[in-house]
Amino acid sequence: MMPIWTKSGEKRAVTLLKVQDCHVLRYVSKEESGGKTAKLLVGGKNVSPFSKPESAHEIFKEAGVPRKQKVTTFNVTDDAIIKPGTPLYAAHFRPGQFVDVTAKTIGKGFQGVMKRWGFKGQPASHGQTKTHRRPGAISTNQAAKVYRGKKMPGKMGNIYRTSFGLKVWRINTKHDIIYVNGSVPGHTNCLVKVRDSKLPTYKDCNKNPPFPTFFADGDEELPEDLFDEEIFQFTDPSVTFA
Amino acid sequence: CRVSSDGKPPKFQPPPKPVIIDRKTQKEERRFLSPEFIPPRGRTDPLKYYIERKDMIQRRKVFNIPEFYVGSVLAVTTADPYASDKSKRFVGICIQRGGKGLGATFVLRNVIEDQGVEICYELYSPRIQAIEVLKLEKRLDENLMYLRDALPEYSTFDLNMKPVPRMDHEEIPVNKLQVRMKPKPWSKRWERPKYNIKGIKFELPEHKMKAAQKWSQPWLEFDMLREYDTSKIEAKIRKELSEELEK
């Protein structure tokens, strides 16, 4: 994570996400998948092919791509279908877009009810016998049962969670890095899924994105760094208020 | 080739090795490298630090961040939308330099009208318009937080202080000042060996100083897992910096 300053001198924190060897692996049509839209399987981050059996390599062989560590699905409209085997780059996103980021949260192991659900516990003194971090009562008398989903101690973390509506501030096309506002679930160097935001406020925000994706062998020559309009670039002189 | 009187070739004598004294590289080694360039110990991808360094160099090309240490007196002008001149000037002694990369900060302390004031500035913030070093010197410690519990005369600096003239090739002077403290209680127990402070003149009784040594951890300096040798990293970063700043 890194600080970033706006043109008015305010500081924002920004997470750097690297797009490492992402390729489209397979196209699954609407009827095949049984959903509402077509799906595209995308894989990221190359990994050695020797730790899995040959049967697991079929998808990668069809696309002509080395074995990937993670394969995710993206729901895609019919006009945005991409041929399997095309590489995906960070330039697929543009500064000013809003993005949802999904990742597995940091695993905390078996945790008690105070850390896992934020319960208040009991006082430390004034006669409390062996009860300082316990949940206390778990149900009422009338119910005569404990409801399903009752908050109790258990394994915390290591589940998929999404941060919605994160702004993309800057894109580095040379190293394929996306600068995303705020924090992102997961530990450093973990695998993350970045998707166009589905929040209703940001429905019309994407002005002329590269559609269906940014092709590296196309005619467009992008500069090394793409900045949002509000970012303070370090080539400018210091901020002054008129 | 020459043949000796015996008819056999003469014994091989290696040529004398040339002794090169490279004064330029020696001078470069002594040059100052700002502590926020050295990446901390961790498992982050070095690419992140490389990209941050590129941004830091970009900023340094436009805005000059002078060399300074903890204990030097600085004057900083920042842009302020609520001031009449739209800019604010603060003079103070640098008591701490923290943070790595773009978020590097330094804290300036001064006593204005009997009230101690500490301001934490970010080195790479675009609001800073000028940093001048009024007095460049080092002190015996890397962290002068104990000035909060010292007599206020050690933290007062004139707001209109003139910069102390200094030659370029002089070594940075180390001010071996031993500071006198206010009576206890202090904000932290500075006599304990964990802070390792050399710049205080402790006027505590002997038995108190001895009792403080109970918390000493003499094995810490020999702990090999805590070693972080930055010489090679520093050399690489220095080379990168000098190349980039010359462009």
Side-chain angles (χ1 to χ4, degrees):
Chain A
M1 286 195 70
M2 218 164 82
I4 230 178
W5 284 273
T6 53
K7 288 215 159 103
S8 50
E10 286 158 10
K11 181 163 115 158
R12 300 283 153 91
V14 139
T15 315
L16 309 193
L17 304 175
K18 181 161 165 77
V19 178
Q20 202 167 5
D21 319 312
C22 288
H23 286 92
V24 176
L25 297 177
R26 196 196 276 178
Y27 160 67
V28 177
S29 64
K30 202 161 58 164
E31 295 79 35
E32 243 181 280
S33 65
K36 290 187 198 168
T37 45
K39 292 203 217 292
L40 278 181
L41 286 180
V42 172
K45 194 169 170 195
N46 291 342
V47 148
S48 106
F50 302 117
S51 38
K52 285 283 177 195
E54 285 291 325
S55 50
H57 291 329
E58 273 181 35
I59 308 178
F60 306 110
K61 276 193 190 151
E62 279 168 42
V65 140
R67 191 189 138 221
K68 304 285 182 187
Q69 186 171 348
K70 188 104 193 103
V71 176
T72 46
T73 42
F74 286 91
N75 289 338
V76 158
T77 44
D78 281 323
D79 51 349
I81 302 168
I82 308 174
K83 185 177 168 184
T86 40
L88 301 173
Y89 299 100
H92 176 96
F93 295 102
R94 287 293 145 91
Q97 276 185 346
F98 288 85
V99 137
D100 294 340
V101 177
T102 315
K104 263 198 171 171
T105 47
I106 298 178
K108 314 254 171 172
F110 196 100
Q111 286 299 337
V113 111
M114 274 176 87
K115 191 186 202 54
R116 195 177 184 211
W117 299 113
F119 283 15
K120 275 180 81 177
Q122 288 84 25
S125 76
H126 288 301
Q128 309 289 323
T129 38
K130 309 200 291 187
T131 322
H132 306 288
R133 299 182 68 95
R134 298 179 80 191
I138 53 176
S139 189
T140 51
N141 187 15
Q142 263 277 329
K145 68 169 187 179
V146 175
Y147 294 118
R148 186 196 310 266
K150 174 85 194 73
K151 293 183 180 173
M152 282 187 162
K155 292 248 159 57
M156 180 181 167
N158 203 23
I159 46 172
Y160 284 104
R161 282 287 189 252
T162 316
S163 335
F164 295 99
L166 304 177
K167 180 167 175 178
V168 170
W169 283 104
R170 179 176 161 181
I171 301 225
N172 186 319
T173 32
K174 187 173 162 203
H175 297 281
D176 278 333
I177 298 182
I178 308 176
Y179 289 54
V180 146
N181 190 30
S183 60
V184 141
H187 56 88
T188 19
N189 304 337
C190 78
L191 287 170
V192 131
K193 174 179 172 184
V194 181
R195 201 188 60 205
D196 289 326
S197 189
K198 68 174 184 38
L199 291 180
T201 26
Y202 303 129
K203 239 199 292 191
D204 311 311
C205 247
N206 303 340
K207 312 155 211 167
N208 309 326
F211 196 78
T213 190
F214 171 75
F215 295 105
D217 50 348
D219 302 324
E220 277 188 80
E221 281 274 336
L222 282 182
E224 193 190 320
D225 272 309
L226 291 164
F227 295 91
D228 185 49
E229 298 144 350
E230 283 185 25
I231 277 194
F232 169 79
Q233 304 201 22
F234 289 115
T235 39
D236 303 333
S238 304
V239 160
T240 35
F241 299 102
Chain B
C1 55
R2 268 171 255 152
V3 182
S4 71
S5 49
D6 290 342
K8 290 177 242 171
K11 189 175 169 197
F12 170 69
Q13 241 138 31
K17 280 196 181 147
V19 177
I20 310 169
I21 311 167
D22 212 345
R23 282 180 219 277
K24 224 183 175 185
T25 45
Q26 274 176 10
K27 267 203 186 149
E28 271 177 48
E29 277 161 26
R30 246 180 278 143
R31 230 172 38 190
F32 173 70
L33 179 66
S34 216
E36 72 262 8
F37 279 103
I38 302 162
R41 215 168 157 217
R43 288 165 61 180
T44 348
D45 201 0
L47 177 67
K48 186 236 174 189
Y49 297 121
Y50 171 70
I51 288 187
E52 242 185 330
R53 247 177 287 142
K54 271 202 321 201
D55 277 341
M56 283 150 76
I57 293 169
Q58 273 277 319
R59 174 75 180 153
R60 276 184 186 242
K61 281 188 191 166
V62 177
F63 172 73
N64 170 42
I65 296 175
E67 163 191 355
F68 67 97
Y69 303 88
V70 168
S72 22
V73 181
L74 308 183
V76 173
T77 20
T78 32
D80 183 22
Y82 308 112
S84 48
D85 284 337
K86 302 298 170 197
S87 70
K88 247 191 323 205
R89 185 171 193 258
F90 185 72
V91 172
I93 183 171
C94 175
I95 52 176
Q96 169 181 282
R97 278 188 85 157
K100 298 280 176 198
L102 278 176
T105 53
F106 62 103
V107 182
L108 293 185
R109 179 184 165 83
N110 203 340
V111 172
I112 300 176
E113 292 179 18
D114 296 328
Q115 173 63 48
V117 175
E118 287 182 14
I119 304 188
C120 176
Y121 291 104
E122 284 152 8
L123 270 175
Y124 294 95
S125 165
R127 280 238 197 117
I128 296 186
Q129 279 156 353
I131 305 180
E132 310 154 41
V133 174
L134 299 176
K135 192 177 188 194
L136 181 66
E137 65 174 7
K138 280 198 216 189
R139 292 278 198 113
L140 292 167
D141 309 300
E142 289 282 313
N143 204 310
L144 299 178
M145 284 291 174
Y146 57 80
L147 288 180
R148 292 171 182 169
D149 299 313
L151 298 172
E153 63 194 35
Y154 295 102
S155 318
T156 28
F157 296 92
D158 185 21
L159 289 172
N160 309 316
M161 200 167 118
K162 293 269 163 58
V164 167
R166 192 187 153 256
M167 313 292 287
D168 261 343
H169 61 83
E170 263 177 18
E171 277 210 28
I172 300 120
V174 179
N175 191 351
K176 301 203 176 163
L177 174 66
Q178 298 248 306
V179 150
R180 287 182 62 215
M181 305 291 274
K182 289 195 242 180
K184 269 205 165 194
W186 297 330
S187 58
K188 293 234 162 13
R189 293 177 225 240
W190 302 112
E191 73 276 9
R192 295 230 171 141
K194 114 171 186 203
Y195 297 107
N196 195 18
I197 292 184
K198 302 184 182 89
I200 299 184
K201 188 169 187 181
F202 289 109
E203 279 150 10
L204 297 172
E206 272 290 325
H207 68 270
K208 293 230 163 135
M209 296 299 293
K210 258 186 140 181
Q213 292 301 316
K214 244 197 316 182
W215 281 270
S216 69
Q217 293 171 311
W219 58 85
L220 263 191
E221 58 171 314
F222 303 109
D223 194 344
M224 292 175 77
L225 286 182
R226 275 175 212 258
E227 279 171 12
Y228 184 37
D229 187 23
T230 48
S231 47
K232 291 188 188 160
I233 306 173
E234 270 185 44
K236 258 196 251 176
I237 296 178
R238 250 186 256 267
K239 219 170 104 181
E240 209 187 296
L241 266 185
S242 49
E243 277 167 30
E244 288 287 325
L245 284 173
E246 268 156 37
K247 277 192 199 163

